[in-house]
Amino acid sequence: MTDQVVEERVEALGWLQPDDIHTPGPHPAGPDATPVVRHDVSTVGRLVALLGEADRIIAEVIGLIRHHRHHARDRQDTGGLRLDRFLALATGRTGTDIGRLMRAERTLTRMPAVDAAFADGRLSWSQVHQIVGATRDLTAAQTTELDDDLAGPLATTDPTADPDAIVRTARDWATQILHSVDAERFDPADRAFLRVEPDLFGGAAFSGYDRIEAVMTILEAAEAAADRPSPPGEVRTDADGQEVPAELLPATARQAQLAEGLRRIAASYLAGATPGTTTDTTTGTDALPPRPARPSVSVVIDTTDPHGPIGRLLARWHGGPIPLTRLTTERMLCDPALSTVIVDDGRPVAISDHTGPITARHYRTLRAVDRGCRMPGCHAPAQHTDAHHIIPREQGGPTSTDNMLLLCRSCHTTLHDHHIGLEMHRHTRAVTITLHDGRTFTSTPT
């Protein structure tokens, strides 16, 4: 982005332009680095200038990548490595970041109008990245056709215009180009996928792609299985009439409710039932549905370990075992499907079937006496709950109905992650939870 374009945008939007936008400062990653900002320089103006400078640098980077690709005769400058691999190692960038730059350079070679607009500052890197993404399904000739279509709007770009407008235009015209050729040969199911990426915090991100009707089926099912949105101003109370704080209640954000609904559907399928009640074919009466699917955990015991047999907890994962945090392990061990694997110097010699400390009889009893999630203020039904040990099993807590109660998956996670104290009256099954500040809340079976 050129200085002139930066000045036009700053002036048009009413910000103060600093006298010198190139004032250097310590690298922001330094341990003691603090930005050098003069008292007479607008913070917002400097932010605009720095972002413009970042766009200018990326444009130059892409130009150098192009020069290397066209003029480099060998890999001597990169130590024999490919340029993308060398840049990743030399700069500490991820392969995804370097790949994004390399792909942008190749695409901009076929889009001279967009390339020129980026070089002279009429387009930001953010806009260019989105436009490049819109060409993913286009051929080289179609990409050039899209560039010809964008040449007119790019020539009349207003510095104060909506930055997303040109991106929407590129996406719309890319779609029209695809449909004008032969929309039928682009079947979204050919690119259908489900990707799951676990992290180090006991969670995982998942995303996917499929035909619109398939995605709508998934969304409608999640809507049906999710909790109803909370009415505006709804206040939930415990058994004593006290208002329950929001941090103890299941998430009310619709996105979180839909995610929970999707989990419920999957758990019901694995348990061999659809959400809701089922009918007992022998009596014709409503019966409790099977219990939801439980975490599948293997305990690996190596008999040759020099320090004696050591158990390692492994969660079942289609790509292999994943690391588990202490809190995740503690939560999963409340109600797991356990198997034991005995290995001798890495060679498996014995494995047990999946078993669980909580039997079907335990679970039916808990459903009969608790009738649903026992967290104060939560209304989740019994078919969406786990069995929670009040005194943890690793601390000697027995697996008996006097030491267990039902919690929905969301409340179960909240209880473990925030170390909330919980007690239950043995005879009335009244539950009392205690927060760190001493506040207490109670619930009784509904």
Side-chain angles (χ1 to χ4, degrees):
M1 188 176 293
T2 63
D3 292 342
Q4 180 181 357
V5 173
V6 172
E7 291 171 1
E8 289 176 357
R9 293 190 177 183
V10 170
E11 182 179 357
L13 295 172
W15 292 325
L16 297 176
Q17 171 69 4
D19 296 331
D20 180 8
I21 66 173
H22 301 292
T23 303
H27 192 285
D32 302 315
T34 55
V36 178
V37 181
R38 301 198 312 269
H39 294 294
D40 60 337
V41 175
S42 164
T43 301
V44 175
R46 180 160 177 76
L47 282 172
V48 173
L50 288 174
L51 290 174
E53 181 70 14
D55 288 336
R56 188 160 42 226
I57 291 173
I58 294 177
E60 184 177 355
V61 166
I62 289 178
L64 291 172
I65 291 174
R66 180 175 302 157
H67 181 274
H68 181 275
R69 185 165 63 87
H70 285 220
H71 300 283
R73 300 302 180 189
D74 54 38
R75 297 181 179 180
Q76 183 176 357
D77 291 342
T78 59
L81 299 176
R82 291 190 324 182
L83 180 61
D84 55 348
R85 182 59 178 162
F86 174 80
L87 290 177
L89 293 173
T91 65
R93 264 67 178 178
T94 64
T96 300
D97 284 342
I98 298 299
R100 186 178 295 120
L101 292 170
M102 304 290 283
R103 183 172 185 272
E105 184 277 321
R106 292 192 299 270
T107 303
L108 291 178
T109 301
R110 298 188 290 269
M111 304 186 76
V114 175
D115 191 27
F118 183 34
D120 62 24
R122 285 177 287 126
L123 283 178
S124 68
W125 166 239
S126 176
Q127 291 170 307
V128 170
H129 173 53
Q130 295 295 324
I131 293 173
V132 168
T135 69
R136 182 176 62 177
D137 295 321
L138 301 182
T139 64
Q142 291 169 339
T143 300
T144 302
E145 180 183 350
L146 175 61
D147 184 70
D148 293 339
D149 293 337
L150 292 174
L154 288 174
T156 58
T157 300
D158 182 356
T160 63
D162 178 9
D164 290 325
I166 190 66
V167 174
R168 287 194 296 268
T169 300
R171 288 174 176 168
D172 291 344
W173 287 354
T175 302
Q176 291 178 23
I177 290 173
L178 285 174
H179 280 270
S180 66
V181 179
D182 184 4
E184 295 302 323
R185 67 186 178 91
F186 291 97
D187 186 355
D190 293 338
R191 299 210 317 264
F193 71 90
L194 175 64
R195 180 181 299 117
V196 183
E197 300 177 356
D199 59 26
L200 298 177
F201 304 101
F206 57 92
S207 59
Y209 181 86
D210 205 340
R211 293 190 184 101
I212 185 64
E213 62 269 25
V215 175
M216 290 305 299
T217 298
I218 296 172
L219 182 58
E220 289 175 8
E223 288 272 7
D227 293 333
R228 296 302 90 200
S230 300
E234 180 188 29
V235 176
R236 296 192 183 184
T237 60
D238 69 354
D240 296 328
Q242 297 185 88
E243 181 178 346
V244 178
E247 59 266 25
L248 295 183
L249 299 176
T252 57
R254 195 56 187 159
Q255 292 87 344
Q257 290 179 332
L258 291 176
E260 176 64 12
L262 193 58
R263 186 203 64 78
R264 290 173 179 174
I265 294 170
S268 296
Y269 178 85
L270 292 174
T274 55
T277 59
T278 59
T279 300
D280 189 329
T281 56
T282 58
T283 63
T285 59
D286 285 341
L288 289 173
R291 60 182 305 188
R294 297 166 293 161
S296 179
V297 179
S298 297
V299 180
V300 181
I301 301 177
D302 190 345
T303 60
T304 60
D305 190 282
H307 303 290
I310 296 178
R312 291 184 288 116
L313 290 175
L314 303 175
R316 186 176 61 190
W317 195 261
H318 59 82
I322 59 173
L324 299 177
T325 65
R326 181 181 58 81
L327 288 175
T328 301
T329 302
E330 180 182 295
R331 184 175 67 247
M332 292 176 68
L333 284 180
C334 262
D335 188 2
L338 284 173
S339 66
T340 302
V341 180
I342 300 178
V343 298
D344 183 19
D345 196 21
R347 182 176 61 88
V349 294
I351 185 171
S352 69
D353 293 331
H354 270 109
T355 59
I358 303 174
T359 64
R361 182 175 298 179
H362 282 132
Y363 204 75
R364 289 185 66 87
T365 302
L366 291 174
R367 281 185 168 182
V369 296
D370 283 345
R371 306 187 187 98
C373 179
R374 295 301 311 279
M375 183 70 83
C378 183
H379 303 149
Q383 61 263 34
H384 298 156
T385 58
D386 298 327
H388 169 70
H389 283 72
I390 300 172
I391 301 174
R393 297 175 59 226
E394 59 267 29
Q395 296 179 14
T399 299
S400 67
T401 53
D402 287 342
N403 189 49
M404 293 188 296
L405 50 81
L406 296 181
L407 292 173
C408 71
R409 190 66 55 89
S410 176
C411 291
H412 197 187
T413 301
T414 298
L415 194 77
H416 280 281
D417 289 355
H418 297 281
H419 300 287
I420 296 174
L422 185 149
E423 296 179 351
M424 183 177 69
H425 193 280
R426 181 174 180 178
H427 300 293
T428 64
R429 294 190 68 83
V431 171
T432 301
I433 63 171
T434 305
L435 305 187
H436 294 294
D437 58 8
R439 287 180 297 167
T440 61
F441 301 88
T442 60
S443 77
T444 54
T446 56

